[in-house]
Amino acid sequence: MYYAYKYCLKPSDAHREELDRHRDICRQLYNHTLYRLNEYQDEHGELPSMTTLRSELPDLKKWWDDLSDVYSKVLQTVVERLFDNLEGLSALKENGYGVGHLTWKPPREFRSFTYSQSGFKLDKKGGQAVLSLSKLADIPIRLHRAIPEDATLKQVTLKKEPTGEWFATFGVEMDREPPEPPENPEKCVGIDVGILTYAHDTDGTAVGSLDLSDERERLDREQRKLSRKEHGSNNYEKQRRRVAECHADIRRKRRDFLHKLSNYYAREYDLVAVEDLNVKGMLESPSNSRNTASSAWGTFLSFLEYKCEREGTHFVAVNPGGTTKECAACGVSTEKPLWVREHSCPACGFEADRDANAAWNILSRGLRDVGVGHSEGTPVETALPTDTNSVSAKRVIEAGSPPLNERTASAVSE
């Protein structure tokens, strides 16, 4: 399997200057390659192949001296990057989207470059872990977690964030295959995601949403200060970085919460059923789109999917239509406005929390989609908990605290 491991670099001022120089050379090469692609298309009436443009690199080095300062594999990945962008535009066009054309990259939009296959290695010098980069430098790196010994490093991407920080992301290939999901899963759970309660599952656990109100107030305050600075001045640049740091702080806290929560479900259960939500369509809705974006349901589901694959857990995304309206006990649909938080079935009299009822419907559909054996009666008739265990999001993100419940404290880790 292929994984990505991301670490923070600790470059000196000299390292930062050299990293920025290499990044800008790659940006200029990208723009030149785009120019050559358009020129070739005008002359020949068709797009050139990637091999054609990549074969021009040796001739470019004869008059473009800066290219000789950058490792050859890095220059090749710049050309590959251009063609990857072309393929992305073609895919969007085939799906009916109106797309334009590729444009030149200004410095603020070209933030990364990649060493592929060779030219880099992790080393230790003077008791400090360093990332050795060919034709660049040995840059200190903070390895906050170890890369598995049986992993093969395939590439490393160096990226400069808007905050000015540099990160290294390793593409890692594992020799071992993930475990196969069990044929007859015993521990199964259905999860209904929401805004007031982030996740409500069929075991009766309701995880509260992450409270980022203080962070958002700070972001609004810093953005107001930025609006009063003269654009392009030194004070403007300092304040822009403060705004970027606020955005990064919110993003890190949200992703940390989502990683820990998804890791818990992937490790604790044999089957996890969720709704196959059209998050992009929900964001285009005029109502409540900010809270929907802040919840990051799409990110949570993508985290959960790859973690379930890694742990050998069934991951099932079911049709979300009618999960809230349908009664988990008898299957009768009942219209409920959003402000009604309790489910009360007029046909069978079953009463439950609105989200708990939806979670059981999601689990029932997930079991049916996977085709695993389960009792003829609906799960709600035999196993629905009589109460709900509410868990604050703070307990999920606090290091060393028992996230969700005591018996899974050791299981929730990144």
Side-chain angles (χ1 to χ4, degrees):
M1 291 188 68
Y2 200 83
Y3 296 101
Y5 283 72
K6 186 176 181 180
Y7 301 97
C8 183
L9 295 175
K10 299 296 182 182
S12 63
D13 291 341
H15 290 154
R16 288 180 184 276
E17 184 177 346
E18 194 65 12
L19 284 166
D20 279 325
R21 192 173 75 88
H22 278 238
R23 178 173 64 95
D24 196 60
I25 293 173
C26 291
R27 179 188 68 86
Q28 294 177 43
L29 176 62
Y30 179 93
N31 291 339
H32 175 80
T33 307
L34 178 59
Y35 165 76
R36 284 288 300 123
L37 182 141
N38 293 331
E39 186 180 50
Y40 187 98
Q41 187 178 20
D42 292 339
E43 293 176 355
H44 298 84
E46 61 180 5
L47 289 174
S49 66
M50 180 169 60
T51 306
T52 301
L53 293 184
R54 203 159 51 184
S55 64
E56 295 180 358
L57 290 175
D59 292 333
L60 284 177
K61 290 182 179 181
K62 294 178 181 179
W63 60 268
W64 193 343
D65 295 337
D66 287 343
L67 293 186
S68 299
D69 296 337
V70 181
Y71 188 61
S72 59
K73 286 285 187 180
V74 176
L75 301 178
Q76 293 176 18
T77 58
V78 173
V79 180
E80 295 171 6
R81 180 172 177 173
L82 175 65
F83 280 85
D84 288 341
N85 291 344
L86 279 176
E87 290 180 7
L89 283 181
S90 299
L92 289 174
K93 189 174 182 179
E94 290 175 1
N95 291 330
Y97 289 92
V99 298
H101 53 84
L102 296 180
T103 59
W104 285 24
K105 296 286 188 182
R108 67 178 181 276
E109 293 182 10
F110 199 97
R111 295 188 170 275
S112 64
F113 57 94
T114 300
Y115 282 78
S116 179
Q117 299 177 347
S118 62
F120 67 95
K121 69 174 182 177
L122 285 172
D123 204 353
K124 183 169 282 191
K125 295 185 178 180
Q128 168 70 53
V130 297
L131 175 60
S132 296
L133 300 171
S134 180
K135 291 193 174 183
L136 211 159
D138 294 337
I139 303 176
I141 184 172
R142 187 169 71 88
L143 295 175
H144 63 278
R145 58 172 175 168
I147 296 178
E149 295 181 357
D150 61 342
T152 303
L153 300 181
K154 306 298 286 186
Q155 67 176 32
V156 61
T157 297
L158 309 175
K159 182 177 181 181
K160 184 180 183 180
E161 296 291 345
T163 58
E165 297 174 298
W166 280 91
F167 288 88
T169 303
F170 293 91
V172 174
E173 189 175 45
M174 301 287 193
D175 293 333
R176 61 181 183 271
E177 292 296 323
E180 290 292 329
E183 293 184 4
N184 295 305
E186 297 180 358
K187 298 181 67 176
C188 305
V189 67
I191 306 172
D192 178 62
V193 294
I195 293 176
L196 297 178
T197 300
Y198 191 85
H200 200 130
D201 64 35
T202 49
D203 278 353
T205 301
V207 181
S209 293
L210 189 62
D211 183 13
L212 296 173
S213 56
D214 291 342
E215 288 79 0
R216 286 204 185 92
E217 287 180 8
R218 181 189 170 211
L219 173 60
D220 292 342
R221 189 164 57 249
E222 298 297 341
Q223 285 178 325
R224 287 195 296 270
K225 291 181 182 178
L226 179 64
S227 67
R228 293 192 288 269
K229 305 295 182 183
E230 182 181 352
H231 192 278
S233 66
N234 289 336
N235 286 336
Y236 180 91
E237 178 60 23
K238 291 179 183 178
Q239 188 61 32
R240 184 201 62 77
R241 289 199 176 188
R242 291 196 186 100
V243 171
E245 289 169 1
C246 291
H247 281 292
D249 182 47
I250 292 174
R251 182 171 63 253
R252 280 195 288 261
K253 288 181 178 179
R254 182 186 293 120
R255 290 175 69 89
D256 177 66
F257 168 71
L258 298 179
H259 270 300
K260 290 176 179 176
L261 186 61
S262 59
N263 199 58
Y264 160 73
Y265 283 114
R267 290 189 175 184
E268 278 296 299
Y269 294 94
D270 299 328
L271 182 146
V272 178
V274 296
E275 292 177 301
D276 186 13
L277 297 173
N278 178 18
V279 179
K280 183 178 179 181
M282 299 170 73
L283 291 177
E284 294 172 354
S285 171
S287 60
N288 217 18
S289 58
R290 176 174 180 177
N291 286 332
T292 303
S294 179
S295 298
W297 293 328
T299 304
F300 172 66
L301 296 180
S302 65
F303 284 177
L304 186 58
E305 182 176 11
Y306 90 76
K307 291 178 192 294
C308 284
E309 181 183 3
R310 182 186 65 191
E311 301 295 333
T313 300
H314 287 282
F315 175 85
V316 191
V318 305
N319 182 5
T323 54
T324 301
K325 301 176 183 179
E326 188 178 302
C327 178
C330 67
V332 173
S333 294
T334 307
E335 293 291 336
K336 290 190 288 286
L338 189 61
W339 53 268
V340 176
R341 306 311 302 169
E342 295 293 328
H343 169 77
S344 180
C345 181
C348 68
F350 172 67
E351 295 183 355
D353 181 89
R354 176 193 182 109
D355 296 333
N357 176 74
W360 277 105
N361 285 325
I362 293 168
L363 177 58
S364 297
R365 295 182 185 186
L367 292 172
R368 187 164 55 247
D369 289 350
V370 174
V372 299
H374 57 282
S375 62
E376 291 297 328
T378 59
V380 71
E381 293 174 339
T382 56
L384 182 65
T386 57
D387 56 357
T388 298
N389 176 28
S390 297
V391 177
S392 169
K394 190 176 182 180
R395 293 184 62 194
V396 178
I397 62 175
E398 280 182 346
S401 67
L404 301 182
N405 52 51
E406 296 292 337
R407 66 184 178 86
T408 59
S410 62
V412 182
S413 61
E414 174 46 29

